[in-house]
Amino acid sequence: MDLHALADRLSGRASRYDASGDFPEEDFADLRDQGLLGLMVPPRLGGSGATFAEYTDVAMRLGSGSGATALIFNMHASVTGALAHMPDELVRQFGAPESFFESRDRVLARAAEGALYAVAMSEHGVGSRLSRVRTSYERTGSGFRITGGKTFVSGAGHADAYLVAARDSGSAEPKISYFLVPAGPGVEVRPTWDSLGMRATGSHDVDLDVEVDGDALVGGIEGAALLLAQVMPQWLVASYAAVYVGVAQAVLRHGAEHLRERGLQELPLVRARMGRADVQVAAAELVVREAARRVTDDPGNPETNRWVWRAKLAAGDTAAAVAFSVLEAAGTSATRRGHPLERLYRDARCGALQPATSDVCADWLGAAALGDNPDGVARW
Amino acid sequence: MDLHALADRLSGRASRYDASGDFPEEDFADLRDQGLLGLMVPPRLGGSGATFAEYTDVAMRLGSGSGATALIFNMHASVTGALAHMPDELVRQFGAPESFFESRDRVLARAAEGALYAVAMSEHGVGSRLSRVRTSYERTGSGFRITGGKTFVSGAGHADAYLVAARDSGSAEPKISYFLVPAGPGVEVRPTWDSLGMRATGSHDVDLDVEVDGDALVGGIEGAALLLAQVMPQWLVASYAAVYVGVAQAVLRHGAEHLRERGLQELPLVRARMGRADVQVAAAELVVREAARRVTDDPGNPETNRWVWRAKLAAGDTAAAVAFSVLEAAGTSATRRGHPLERLYRDARCGALQPATSDVCADWLGAAALGDNPDGVARW
Amino acid sequence: MDLHALADRLSGRASRYDASGDFPEEDFADLRDQGLLGLMVPPRLGGSGATFAEYTDVAMRLGSGSGATALIFNMHASVTGALAHMPDELVRQFGAPESFFESRDRVLARAAEGALYAVAMSEHGVGSRLSRVRTSYERTGSGFRITGGKTFVSGAGHADAYLVAARDSGSAEPKISYFLVPAGPGVEVRPTWDSLGMRATGSHDVDLDVEVDGDALVGGIEGAALLLAQVMPQWLVASYAAVYVGVAQAVLRHGAEHLRERGLQELPLVRARMGRADVQVAAAELVVREAARRVTDDPGNPETNRWVWRAKLAAGDTAAAVAFSVLEAAGTSATRRGHPLERLYRDARCGALQPATSDVCADWLGAAALGDNPDGVARW
Amino acid sequence: MDLHALADRLSGRASRYDASGDFPEEDFADLRDQGLLGLMVPPRLGGSGATFAEYTDVAMRLGSGSGATALIFNMHASVTGALAHMPDELVRQFGAPESFFESRDRVLARAAEGALYAVAMSEHGVGSRLSRVRTSYERTGSGFRITGGKTFVSGAGHADAYLVAARDSGSAEPKISYFLVPAGPGVEVRPTWDSLGMRATGSHDVDLDVEVDGDALVGGIEGAALLLAQVMPQWLVASYAAVYVGVAQAVLRHGAEHLRERGLQELPLVRARMGRADVQVAAAELVVREAARRVTDDPGNPETNRWVWRAKLAAGDTAAAVAFSVLEAAGTSATRRGHPLERLYRDARCGALQPATSDVCADWLGAAALGDNPDGVARW
């Protein structure tokens, strides 16, 4: 099954999962069947060894079928992609033990076999500001004990493990580390997710009071979280972007279908709305693909990072704007629940609000355009 | 209870009715208690004898509490207001029998006693184009038989009677008349309403196969529907407008509350969004009030009608635009279902799509600005 | 000659004065003939005793003829209006000597006889921030010596006197006073004005090294400038607003004329542009008139001041936006110099950039909407 | 001298040529020195043999130095590029005589030696609608006599020859042909150009009453003009696009410089304006480059043509929008004539108005997005 056919299947189920808010089980069965959970995993560990550019293509197409499914997939790809693409030398240089590489490979190999990973980063009152995370950890005999509460954990209750950001409870200055925490006792999902859009992501709260082994420490080193945000901003800032371009493409597709069915394609104001939406979506796709290409070819370059922020801003704003305009062209009959444009109008609004929000991106990019260091201000 | 307190009560229930999609019984109990169902009814028949300007003020305040309740109320006010404000001379001149005045007074008196009226004008595939209505009527011995199907009937199943637009089945050229059809056998509600926004209006489909008395003919004359649309465009075009200004005001109020609670009022981009939203809402309110003042003082004047179309465009576009922007300022935490901004984002999008849509209004106003006759094109 | 006819005369000359950048002598001859230089002067001193609302009406109409002429007039009206409307009790309360009232009356009487006053407030590197003014004054035997340089002095070289903001050179903390400095030696105009738009205002630099009598001190008291900005924000913030609504109205008028001449009024996208522009301009006019009405009826009220800031934002943004859109509808043939739309596109852009800029207004209004004290931040 | 240095030289002279409206002699001396007049000419005829993608890169960089110079260059490149890229087989298939190839090569070789060509297509009251051209030609003994008047001829009076669209005076149905008419007697320039922006293009009117040789007929065949518009829309629709992306880039560059000089880069609303402008410009550049790449790799493909129309819309709208916003951020000091942002604000507005206008592009793209044939409506 090619990606186009897969996206069609997701699209056919999207209204149902949106209505129920259930985890899209059938979608993930398809993704597993297609080997997509191993997309970012190196071939030597059983995966496809995809680049960021290849990930972007997949996420965009999935997003054009179902935004919610693509967002959950994006979280899994962020965990596996960041692990797979972490440069070994850098990791060694920062003092990671050799055991890290073994544990990393086990994590990746499990993904290739179909394990699903989720991200538990945000917290109430903290948002996605990593440096302010209140979930804490302390060393135990053989590992760590992690305590706290997380929000907006897409796929909660259906993931095999969670990437958790936590602070060292014994350190005065902020030392934020990542752990990969297996699902199970001590990881409690509170079903709080009931959202305007992207309803099937099941981004519930998760309460943590759990002990993990030493090799759950991602990167094998403590305090790496903020560093990773700066070194690999693509996974934190722009991996959503592809999903929202897919959502925007779905708006165009369903909009055209609806307007033709109603015989409205002859109305000049309808054509003008569609024409302007078309060029906005085409432009956003190019920006996201350009960012992805650069991340693949020249990761970490300041100019690459600038494209990463552009991608997030362009995708989030474009999806929301075209959904707003095309729904207006489509008219009241498209606002009935179950109509794809009704769902897309809600889904599309979410992109600009997810971190880094569009206003934060505009600030980052403005600082860069004005010759300042955009990372001079703490953003995480 | 003043309107401010009443709006607060509606606001307190709005999330619940939005979630269930039920008819807002408690809101209408309050409206009845306050005598608002008789708002447009002349004092000699037990009502308040309100002007269009006074109606506008009431609708705006109700809309700032609950858009859905205000929309249902707007339909009732349109029926009673159009009846109450129809100039007697004009009606006589067009050949209405004297019995019309008695029947009209009965209808209005019942409203003052608490009867609720709804509007059944739109149809599938026809929208709100009155001249294309397919629901038909034929003369029977003592009255008329009406057959057909209607859509978007706000308050369906809870109204005491429905204003139905229908065409004379025996006439070659379009002769569209209005009937006030009592609820009861032959008026079947199909619960089809399940919408993006304004969910509590219960704007279901209604199937008609019903006989009515001769005095159910509104205006006492056949073929008056299109004439009324031109003579009193305010009820067809702009009575919604006040509701959506109210919705926009609610966005500002709930936005400010949310942003202060989160301590976000210090962010310059948040302040700028709120400042620009503030002036947009203030301007839309003035446009709607200006239209209402002119309808009251100088109904039917071409310049008055121009303000009526401006009011619809300004209110619909403003509500949608400020809900879009303020939700972005408020962030992901405001997208949780049950949060007022989440509901308002959905409710506010509906105004520009209701007839006359914003694009139609822009065309009408552009024709007028260019010195053409904007009613030269058939719009209903 | 009524205002409509007067605006037509200004309109007929606007292209010529725009091209040459000369002071609009003929326009001001007309204004003098019509007694408009005495508009704000009390009848007992030979003027018309206009309210702020009446001023607004005049400025809007003049602005619809020629934005530049209306802006120069606005400066004159600000000086005479602020003097005429200063409450006597407040002035006494702040310690003004009785001689102030005599000198004020002389100034106003001269305006009624045809004297023209200009405003010299802004400075290089300071803008319109009154509190940072570097032009200074010191007491001499009988009066003051004022030294410094001013920018953006509309009507420079053609005014009979200049309202100059200056700081007390002997005071450690900022004490900013206003002086009315007669044209003559020591007031040197440097012809620096050569601007994108509003070219005929001749808003040149003015260098000051001049001695003035004691009664040149406006209000008769030192340090009143910042206080006046807070007490009467209308003259500092919103007196421009009426001018830019006039400019926006001119865009509509000339746009409609051009489009009809070219037979473009049938194009749906042209009509939509004109229709949306029409409602924007109508709304901005209402906002500015509402502010003016409140300033007239309830000056100094916090809610009045809020409308003052709204008026500035609405007028500046609307003029620029409609000029941008209508020029696009009109097409390349309207970009020829000498075409009214070409000039209006440049003139209209200036409003949002004049103090208080649109971004500053949005911040002020946002703070107010969020329940903060918008004057808590120093803005002047 | 690389393109970057060349653009800097153009940029340094742009204000002067804008002020005087003179033809940019020095710029074209530089372009000649750099061999850029032969950019599109095949190497066998002494040129660089550039692709459309390479042309786009050059035009963008020149446009970032001086929009006006780049527009004149664009016209020359359109003539030489269309000639150089016309597929020989197609030309033969349409019946061109073998002599055509010799004459074409002479024209191209002269360009490589420094000859400058201009385009004379538009007419009063006709605009760029090729099918409505009124300039006519008739056969004479050895060639053609051409009579008529043209408008918007960039570089008029400084070109060595003009590409003239004319209709066969003897044909009942429209047969529009192109001729390359040498400068000289019978080609009279009327200096009518005095425009809002792009002032140095000298796009004057040209009156024609001239006899030309038979080989002046471009393509060697009559009636080819409309065919070429469809087959190679890039030169008619999108060759401007690169210029306006360059203009938009210049807005960012001069905006950043101005804002830093004034110390305004710390203002959050300024940063946000710059950040949003940055991503808009980056996106427009990608769209134009994508179109150019596809024209180069897969000319004539319907999907290629779709990108061509997107490029025109994206570039024209983006340049105007960012100039509008960045000038507002920069403030009044940047509106002084001679300031680059003052000129760019005027230049940037012209792109969306040049054919195909943005509204026409939106209609074309909307029709395509809705599955209709966008060339089904006559556009030329």
Side-chain angles (χ1 to χ4, degrees):
Chain A
M1 185 163 48
D2 67 4
L3 283 170
H4 191 266
L6 181 57
D8 276 352
R9 296 182 74 151
L10 271 49
S11 180
R13 300 168 187 141
S15 286
R16 180 158 47 86
Y17 285 122
D18 171 68
S20 71
D22 289 339
F23 181 82
E25 293 280 6
E26 295 163 83
D27 290 358
F28 275 88
D30 280 344
L31 266 59
R32 266 195 194 86
D33 282 355
Q34 301 296 316
L36 286 171
L37 297 192
L39 181 71
M40 310 309 296
V41 176
R44 66 179 176 85
L45 299 169
S48 310
T51 63
F52 192 79
E54 288 162 338
Y55 156 74
T56 294
D57 189 60
V58 171
M60 201 178 286
R61 284 157 186 276
L62 297 182
S64 83
S66 162
T69 294
L71 275 185
I72 300 171
F73 174 75
N74 158 62
M75 296 302 171
H76 173 82
S78 297
V79 175
T80 52
L83 280 177
H85 294 171
M86 244 179 230
D88 285 11
E89 322 82 85
L90 191 72
V91 175
R92 279 201 183 86
Q93 189 180 320
F94 276 91
E98 282 308 304
S99 63
F100 162 68
F101 299 101
E102 286 165 42
S103 98
R104 179 193 64 185
D105 285 1
R106 270 199 307 278
V107 167
L108 289 170
R110 282 212 306 276
E113 290 158 11
L116 178 67
Y117 300 134
V119 173
M121 195 168 89
S122 300
E123 300 183 2
H124 277 298
V126 166
S128 60
R129 296 292 299 266
L130 266 178
S131 61
R132 300 185 183 169
V133 150
R134 288 183 301 225
T135 294
S136 65
Y137 68 89
E138 56 183 355
R139 300 199 151 268
T140 59
S142 64
F144 303 92
R145 180 170 175 202
I146 302 169
T147 326
K150 295 290 181 177
T151 60
F152 299 124
V153 183
S154 298
H158 299 267
D160 297 285
Y162 299 83
L163 184 76
V164 173
R167 76 168 52 237
D168 181 354
S169 63
S171 169
E173 63 194 50
K175 187 160 76 175
I176 314 294
S177 306
Y178 279 130
F179 298 88
L180 196 66
V181 178
V187 178
E188 301 301 325
V189 176
R190 277 189 295 125
T192 48
W193 183 250
D194 187 18
S195 168
L196 171 69
M198 297 296 186
R199 296 181 53 74
T201 57
S203 304
H204 302 297
D205 288 0
V206 170
D207 291 336
L208 297 158
D209 186 355
V210 63
E211 288 202 31
V212 294
D213 290 345
D215 69 0
L217 178 67
V218 174
I221 37 172
E222 297 182 62
L226 282 160
L227 182 71
L228 277 171
Q230 298 253 356
V231 173
M232 303 177 88
Q234 59 270 26
W235 291 112
L236 213 52
V237 175
S239 59
Y240 303 131
V243 174
Y244 284 97
V245 170
V247 168
Q249 291 168 335
V251 169
L252 285 184
R253 192 174 73 245
H254 290 292
E257 197 176 321
H258 175 92
L259 291 162
R260 287 194 68 84
E261 274 171 22
R262 307 258 151 181
L264 301 176
Q265 78 272 24
E266 298 300 331
L267 293 178
L269 295 183
V270 161
R271 279 208 305 279
R273 280 186 189 279
M274 284 298 286
R276 290 186 188 274
D278 166 85
V279 75
Q280 286 176 275
V281 177
E285 177 178 341
L286 289 180
V287 172
V288 170
R289 288 195 187 277
E290 178 74 13
R293 188 184 66 72
R294 287 172 180 257
V295 166
T296 300
D297 295 351
D298 194 8
N301 183 313
E303 193 61 18
T304 297
N305 291 347
R306 206 164 160 182
W307 280 98
V308 165
W309 289 84
R310 283 172 182 152
K312 176 63 176 62
L313 179 56
D317 280 12
T318 297
V322 302
F324 188 91
S325 178
V326 172
L327 183 63
E328 187 164 340
T332 305
S333 61
T335 61
R336 207 172 283 260
R337 277 198 183 173
H339 193 292
L341 292 176
E342 188 273 334
R343 171 176 45 85
L344 289 164
Y345 174 70
R346 293 181 285 104
D347 286 355
R349 176 68 287 199
C350 299
L353 281 67
Q354 285 180 244
T357 67
S358 285
D359 281 350
V360 168
C361 291
D363 190 76
W364 194 101
L365 288 164
L370 286 157
D372 287 335
N373 173 14
D375 291 316
V377 181
R379 307 213 179 248
W380 300 108
Chain B
M1 184 162 48
D2 68 3
L3 284 169
H4 190 266
L6 180 58
D8 276 352
R9 296 182 74 152
L10 269 52
S11 181
R13 301 169 188 140
S15 285
R16 179 157 47 85
Y17 284 122
D18 172 68
S20 70
D22 290 338
F23 180 83
E25 294 280 5
E26 294 162 85
D27 290 358
F28 276 87
D30 279 344
L31 266 59
R32 267 195 195 87
D33 282 354
Q34 301 296 315
L36 285 172
L37 297 193
L39 180 70
M40 309 309 295
V41 176
R44 66 179 175 87
L45 299 168
S48 308
T51 63
F52 192 79
E54 288 163 338
Y55 157 74
T56 294
D57 188 61
V58 172
M60 200 177 285
R61 283 158 187 275
L62 296 183
S64 83
S66 161
T69 294
L71 276 185
I72 300 171
F73 174 75
N74 157 62
M75 295 303 170
H76 173 82
S78 297
V79 176
T80 51
L83 282 177
H85 293 171
M86 244 179 229
D88 286 11
E89 320 84 83
L90 192 72
V91 175
R92 280 201 183 86
Q93 188 181 323
F94 275 92
E98 282 308 303
S99 62
F100 161 67
F101 299 100
E102 285 164 42
S103 97
R104 180 193 63 186
D105 285 2
R106 273 199 305 277
V107 166
L108 289 171
R110 282 212 307 275
E113 289 159 12
L116 179 67
Y117 301 134
V119 173
M121 194 168 88
S122 300
E123 299 183 1
H124 277 300
V126 167
S128 59
R129 296 293 298 266
L130 265 180
S131 61
R132 301 186 182 167
V133 150
R134 287 183 303 225
T135 294
S136 66
Y137 68 90
E138 55 183 355
R139 300 199 151 269
T140 59
S142 64
F144 304 91
R145 181 171 174 201
I146 302 169
T147 326
K150 295 290 181 178
T151 59
F152 299 126
V153 183
S154 298
H158 298 269
D160 296 284
Y162 298 84
L163 185 75
V164 173
R167 75 168 50 238
D168 181 354
S169 62
S171 169
E173 61 194 51
K175 187 160 77 177
I176 314 294
S177 306
Y178 278 130
F179 297 88
L180 196 67
V181 178
V187 178
E188 299 301 325
V189 176
R190 277 189 294 125
T192 49
W193 184 251
D194 187 19
S195 169
L196 171 70
M198 297 294 184
R199 297 180 53 73
T201 57
S203 304
H204 302 297
D205 288 0
V206 170
D207 291 337
L208 297 158
D209 187 355
V210 64
E211 288 200 33
V212 294
D213 292 343
D215 68 357
L217 178 67
V218 173
I221 39 171
E222 297 182 62
L226 282 160
L227 181 73
L228 278 171
Q230 297 252 357
V231 173
M232 302 176 89
Q234 60 270 23
W235 291 112
L236 214 52
V237 175
S239 58
Y240 302 133
V243 175
Y244 284 98
V245 170
V247 168
Q249 290 168 336
V251 169
L252 285 184
R253 192 175 71 243
H254 290 293
E257 197 177 321
H258 175 92
L259 291 162
R260 288 194 66 86
E261 274 171 23
R262 305 261 151 178
L264 301 176
Q265 77 271 26
E266 296 302 330
L267 293 178
L269 295 182
V270 162
R271 276 207 308 277
R273 281 187 188 276
M274 285 296 286
R276 290 186 188 275
D278 166 85
V279 75
Q280 287 176 273
V281 177
E285 177 178 341
L286 290 180
V287 172
V288 170
R289 288 195 186 277
E290 178 74 13
R293 189 183 66 72
R294 286 171 180 258
V295 166
T296 301
D297 294 350
D298 194 8
N301 184 312
E303 192 60 18
T304 296
N305 291 348
R306 208 165 160 180
W307 280 98
V308 165
W309 289 84
R310 283 174 181 150
K312 176 63 176 62
L313 179 56
D317 280 12
T318 298
V322 302
F324 188 91
S325 178
V326 171
L327 183 65
E328 187 164 340
T332 305
S333 61
T335 63
R336 206 171 282 260
R337 277 197 183 174
H339 193 290
L341 291 175
E342 189 273 335
R343 170 176 47 84
L344 289 164
Y345 175 70
R346 294 181 284 103
D347 286 354
R349 176 69 288 198
C350 300
L353 282 68
Q354 285 181 243
T357 68
S358 285
D359 280 352
V360 168
C361 291
D363 190 76
W364 195 101
L365 289 165
L370 285 157
D372 288 335
N373 173 14
D375 291 315
V377 181
R379 307 209 180 251
W380 299 107
Chain C
M1 185 163 49
D2 68 3
L3 283 170
H4 191 267
L6 180 58
D8 276 353
R9 296 182 75 152
L10 270 49
S11 181
R13 299 169 189 140
S15 285
R16 180 156 48 84
Y17 284 122
D18 173 68
S20 70
D22 290 338
F23 180 82
E25 293 279 7
E26 295 162 83
D27 290 359
F28 276 88
D30 279 345
L31 265 60
R32 266 195 195 88
D33 281 356
Q34 301 297 314
L36 286 172
L37 297 193
L39 181 70
M40 308 309 294
V41 176
R44 66 179 174 85
L45 299 170
S48 308
T51 63
F52 192 78
E54 288 162 338
Y55 156 75
T56 293
D57 188 63
V58 171
M60 201 178 285
R61 285 158 186 275
L62 297 182
S64 84
S66 162
T69 294
L71 275 185
I72 300 171
F73 174 75
N74 158 63
M75 295 303 171
H76 173 82
S78 297
V79 175
T80 52
L83 280 178
H85 294 171
M86 242 177 230
D88 285 10
E89 321 81 86
L90 191 72
V91 175
R92 279 200 182 88
Q93 190 180 322
F94 276 92
E98 283 306 305
S99 61
F100 161 67
F101 299 100
E102 285 165 43
S103 96
R104 180 192 65 185
D105 285 1
R106 272 199 306 277
V107 166
L108 289 171
R110 281 212 306 275
E113 290 158 14
L116 179 67
Y117 300 134
V119 172
M121 195 169 89
S122 299
E123 299 183 3
H124 277 300
V126 167
S128 58
R129 296 293 298 266
L130 266 179
S131 62
R132 300 186 183 168
V133 149
R134 288 184 300 226
T135 294
S136 66
Y137 68 89
E138 55 183 356
R139 299 198 151 269
T140 58
S142 63
F144 303 91
R145 180 169 174 201
I146 301 170
T147 326
K150 294 292 180 176
T151 60
F152 299 126
V153 182
S154 298
H158 298 269
D160 297 284
Y162 298 84
L163 184 75
V164 173
R167 76 166 53 239
D168 181 355
S169 63
S171 169
E173 62 194 50
K175 187 159 78 177
I176 315 293
S177 307
Y178 280 131
F179 298 88
L180 195 67
V181 178
V187 178
E188 300 300 325
V189 176
R190 276 189 297 125
T192 47
W193 183 251
D194 187 20
S195 168
L196 171 69
M198 297 294 185
R199 297 180 53 72
T201 57
S203 304
H204 302 296
D205 287 0
V206 170
D207 291 338
L208 297 158
D209 187 353
V210 62
E211 289 201 29
V212 294
D213 291 346
D215 68 0
L217 178 67
V218 174
I221 39 172
E222 296 181 63
L226 283 160
L227 180 72
L228 278 171
Q230 297 252 357
V231 172
M232 303 176 88
Q234 60 268 26
W235 292 111
L236 213 52
V237 174
S239 58
Y240 302 133
V243 174
Y244 283 98
V245 170
V247 167
Q249 291 168 335
V251 169
L252 284 184
R253 194 173 70 242
H254 290 292
E257 196 176 322
H258 175 92
L259 291 162
R260 287 194 69 86
E261 275 170 22
R262 307 259 150 181
L264 301 176
Q265 78 271 24
E266 297 301 330
L267 294 177
L269 295 182
V270 161
R271 277 207 307 278
R273 280 187 189 277
M274 284 297 286
R276 290 186 188 275
D278 167 85
V279 74
Q280 287 177 275
V281 176
E285 177 178 341
L286 289 181
V287 172
V288 170
R289 288 194 187 278
E290 178 74 12
R293 188 183 66 71
R294 287 172 180 257
V295 166
T296 300
D297 294 350
D298 195 8
N301 184 312
E303 192 60 19
T304 296
N305 291 347
R306 207 164 159 183
W307 280 98
V308 164
W309 289 85
R310 283 174 181 150
K312 176 61 175 64
L313 179 56
D317 280 12
T318 298
V322 302
F324 187 92
S325 178
V326 171
L327 184 64
E328 188 164 339
T332 305
S333 60
T335 62
R336 206 171 282 261
R337 276 197 183 174
H339 193 292
L341 291 175
E342 188 273 334
R343 169 175 48 83
L344 289 165
Y345 175 70
R346 294 181 283 103
D347 286 356
R349 177 67 287 200
C350 299
L353 282 68
Q354 286 181 243
T357 68
S358 285
D359 280 351
V360 168
C361 291
D363 190 76
W364 195 101
L365 288 164
L370 286 157
D372 287 335
N373 173 15
D375 291 315
V377 180
R379 308 217 179 243
W380 299 107
Chain D
M1 183 163 48
D2 67 4
L3 283 170
H4 191 267
L6 179 58
D8 277 352
R9 295 183 74 153
L10 269 51
S11 181
R13 299 169 189 140
S15 285
R16 180 156 48 85
Y17 285 122
D18 172 68
S20 71
D22 290 339
F23 180 82
E25 293 279 7
E26 295 163 84
D27 290 358
F28 276 87
D30 279 345
L31 265 60
R32 266 194 194 86
D33 282 355
Q34 301 296 314
L36 286 172
L37 297 193
L39 180 71
M40 309 310 295
V41 176
R44 66 179 175 85
L45 299 169
S48 310
T51 63
F52 191 79
E54 289 163 337
Y55 155 74
T56 294
D57 189 61
V58 172
M60 201 178 285
R61 286 159 186 273
L62 297 182
S64 83
S66 161
T69 294
L71 274 185
I72 300 171
F73 175 75
N74 157 63
M75 295 302 170
H76 173 83
S78 297
V79 176
T80 52
L83 281 177
H85 294 170
M86 244 178 229
D88 285 12
E89 321 83 84
L90 191 73
V91 174
R92 278 201 183 87
Q93 188 180 322
F94 276 92
E98 282 307 304
S99 62
F100 162 67
F101 299 101
E102 286 165 41
S103 98
R104 181 193 62 186
D105 285 1
R106 272 200 305 279
V107 166
L108 290 170
R110 282 213 306 275
E113 289 158 13
L116 178 67
Y117 300 134
V119 173
M121 194 168 89
S122 300
E123 299 183 3
H124 276 299
V126 168
S128 58
R129 295 293 298 264
L130 264 179
S131 61
R132 301 186 181 167
V133 149
R134 287 184 301 224
T135 293
S136 67
Y137 68 91
E138 56 183 355
R139 296 198 153 270
T140 59
S142 63
F144 303 91
R145 181 171 174 202
I146 302 169
T147 326
K150 293 291 181 178
T151 59
F152 299 126
V153 183
S154 298
H158 299 269
D160 296 285
Y162 299 83
L163 184 76
V164 173
R167 75 168 51 238
D168 181 355
S169 63
S171 170
E173 60 194 50
K175 188 160 77 176
I176 315 292
S177 306
Y178 281 130
F179 298 88
L180 195 67
V181 178
V187 178
E188 300 300 326
V189 176
R190 276 189 297 124
T192 47
W193 183 251
D194 187 20
S195 168
L196 170 71
M198 297 295 185
R199 297 181 53 74
T201 57
S203 303
H204 302 297
D205 288 0
V206 171
D207 291 338
L208 297 159
D209 186 354
V210 64
E211 289 200 31
V212 294
D213 291 344
D215 69 358
L217 179 67
V218 174
I221 38 170
E222 297 182 63
L226 282 162
L227 181 73
L228 278 170
Q230 298 251 358
V231 174
M232 303 175 87
Q234 61 270 23
W235 291 112
L236 213 52
V237 174
S239 59
Y240 301 134
V243 175
Y244 284 98
V245 171
V247 167
Q249 291 168 334
V251 169
L252 284 184
R253 193 174 72 243
H254 289 294
E257 196 175 322
H258 175 91
L259 291 162
R260 287 194 68 85
E261 275 172 21
R262 306 259 152 179
L264 300 176
Q265 77 271 24
E266 297 301 331
L267 293 178
L269 295 182
V270 161
R271 278 207 306 277
R273 281 187 187 276
M274 284 298 286
R276 291 187 186 273
D278 167 85
V279 76
Q280 287 177 274
V281 176
E285 177 177 341
L286 289 180
V287 172
V288 170
R289 289 195 186 277
E290 179 73 12
R293 188 183 65 72
R294 287 172 179 258
V295 166
T296 300
D297 294 350
D298 195 6
N301 184 312
E303 193 60 20
T304 297
N305 292 348
R306 207 165 160 181
W307 279 98
V308 164
W309 289 84
R310 283 173 181 150
K312 175 63 174 64
L313 179 56
D317 280 11
T318 298
V322 301
F324 188 91
S325 178
V326 172
L327 183 64
E328 188 164 339
T332 305
S333 61
T335 62
R336 206 171 282 259
R337 277 198 181 172
H339 193 291
L341 291 175
E342 188 274 334
R343 169 175 48 83
L344 290 164
Y345 174 71
R346 293 180 286 104
D347 286 356
R349 176 69 286 201
C350 299
L353 281 68
Q354 285 181 243
T357 67
S358 285
D359 280 351
V360 168
C361 291
D363 190 76
W364 195 101
L365 289 164
L370 285 157
D372 288 334
N373 173 14
D375 291 316
V377 180
R379 307 212 180 249
W380 298 109

